[in-house]
Structures are given as structure tokens and as C-alpha cells.
């Protein structure tokens, strides 16, 4: 992770998944797949520059009073199955307040010894609460570590850790 002052400005996560880039791409971009891992919310995006990004809550989040859309953004780049860049502006925690939208980059490349290297880079400039939350600080959920671990588990075993 790269740090600026006390807030983490950029967080980078890299994992190796025993799956093809196409299978991983489908899992992160297909709304029928995005609700199968992590926080189990449906994500919809228009895979073109300028396309809309919308994240919806899981049923459990709805039962707790979550709005129908919990994060919005814009697709910056979509190059299937190797690179996806989009902005992300969550609204599910009041502490986020006036923090600006952040930027998420997903990169997929062949890994040594098989599988695919998935690298997620989250640029969090001027968004210290969001940075703390997605890093998985106590009381904020598991963050990207949880989401990526659950994605890997789902793709490699057919079952997610969650749910």
C-alpha cells in the first residue's frame, strides 16, 4: 500500500486465481455473478467508457434499511478480459459524507505456473474513511481482502465463503 500522511492514498491487492481471465472477468462484470461472493450485492455496469456503474445491496443489507443503490460510478475503461477501470462513490455509510469518488482498476494477466493474476488497485485520494473501510479495518467489514478471497474461493471451488 502507498501512504500519504495518515490516510492510505492507494491500496493494491494481488492474488493468483486458478481460473481463466474470462471467468474472472465474468465474475466481476456479470450482474448474475457479482451477487455470489463478497457482500453479495448485485453490481451492474455498462462496459464502455462513460458507462454507468451501480452497486445494489444484498437482501441482508436491505433488511437493515440499505437504499436500493449503495454505490455509483462511471466506467473509465473496459478491455475484456484484461482491464477494467471505474470510479466508485459509496453511499452506504454516513461517515463517507462528502468524500469524493475513488477509482478502482482491475487487471488480469496470466500467472506463472498457471492461473490468472488479479491485481486490484484502489485510488483513494482525499477519501480517508473510505480507505479505512475498504482496507477492512475492525468494525468496517472485511474490505477488499474479504471480497477478493471470496471471489477466489468461489471460482476455484464453486462455493463462496459467505452466505
Amino acid at each position: 500500500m502507498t501512504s500519504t500522511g495518515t490516510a492510505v492514498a492507494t491500496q493494491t491487492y494481488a492474488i493468483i486465481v486458478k481460473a481463466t481471465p474470462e471467468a474472472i472477468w465474468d465474475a466481476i462484470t456479470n450482474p448474475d455473478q457479482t451477487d455470489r461472493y463478497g457482500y453479495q450485492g448485485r453490481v451492474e455496469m455498462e462496459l464502455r467508457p462513460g458507462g454507468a456503474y451501480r452497486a445494489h445491496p444484498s437482501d441482508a443489507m436491505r433488511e437493515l434499511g440499505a437504499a436500493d443503490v449503495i454505490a455509483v460510478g462511471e466506467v473509465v475503461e473496459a478491455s475484456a478480459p484484461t482491464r477494467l477501470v471505474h470510479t466508485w462513490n459509496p453511499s452506504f455509510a454516513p461517515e463517507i459524507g462528502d468524500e469524493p469518488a475513488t477509482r478502482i482498476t482491475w487487471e488480469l494477466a496470466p500467472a506463472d505456473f498457471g492461473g490468472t493474476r488479479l491485481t486490484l488497485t484502489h485510488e483513494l485520494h482525499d477519501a480517508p474513511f473510505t480507505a479505512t473501510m475498504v482496507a477492512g479495518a475492525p468494525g468496517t467489514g472485511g474490505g477488499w481482502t474479504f471480497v477478493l478471497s471470496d471471489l477466489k474461493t468461489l471460482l476455484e471451488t464453486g462455493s463462496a465463503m459467505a452466505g
Side-chain angles (χ1 to χ4, degrees):
M1 291 186 225
T2 306
S3 178
T4 302
T6 58
V8 176
T10 301
Q11 296 176 16
T12 301
Y13 303 85
I15 60 172
I16 306 295
V17 183
K18 189 176 180 179
T20 65
E22 292 81 7
I24 299 169
W25 180 267
D26 189 54
I28 62 178
T29 63
N30 180 341
D32 294 330
Q33 297 295 322
T34 59
D35 62 359
R36 296 184 60 209
Y37 61 92
Y39 298 103
Q40 299 181 333
R42 187 175 178 88
V43 175
E44 299 170 336
M45 62 183 95
E46 299 167 349
L47 294 172
R48 60 174 175 76
Y53 170 96
R54 288 174 302 283
H56 302 277
S58 66
D59 290 339
M61 291 175 174
R62 279 191 184 90
E63 289 174 12
L64 296 173
D68 185 50
V69 176
I70 58 172
V72 296
E74 181 178 305
V75 173
V76 176
E77 180 183 342
S79 301
T82 59
R83 185 174 166 85
L84 173 65
V85 182
H86 62 87
T87 61
W88 190 67
N89 192 4
S91 59
F92 50 81
E95 299 87 350
I96 293 169
D98 293 328
E99 289 189 348
T102 59
R103 181 178 163 120
I104 299 170
T105 301
W106 304 79
E107 295 176 294
L108 305 166
D112 292 340
F113 310 109
T116 301
R117 181 179 182 87
L118 165 58
T119 303
L120 181 137
T121 302
H122 197 158
E123 298 171 51
L124 294 143
H125 306 288
D126 298 320
F129 182 79
T130 303
T132 299
M133 182 181 59
V134 299
T140 63
W144 283 121
T145 299
F146 167 66
V147 171
L148 295 174
S149 295
D150 206 22
L151 172 63
K152 176 180 171 69
T153 299
L154 174 66
L155 289 171
E156 291 180 349
T157 71
S159 299
M161 294 184 300

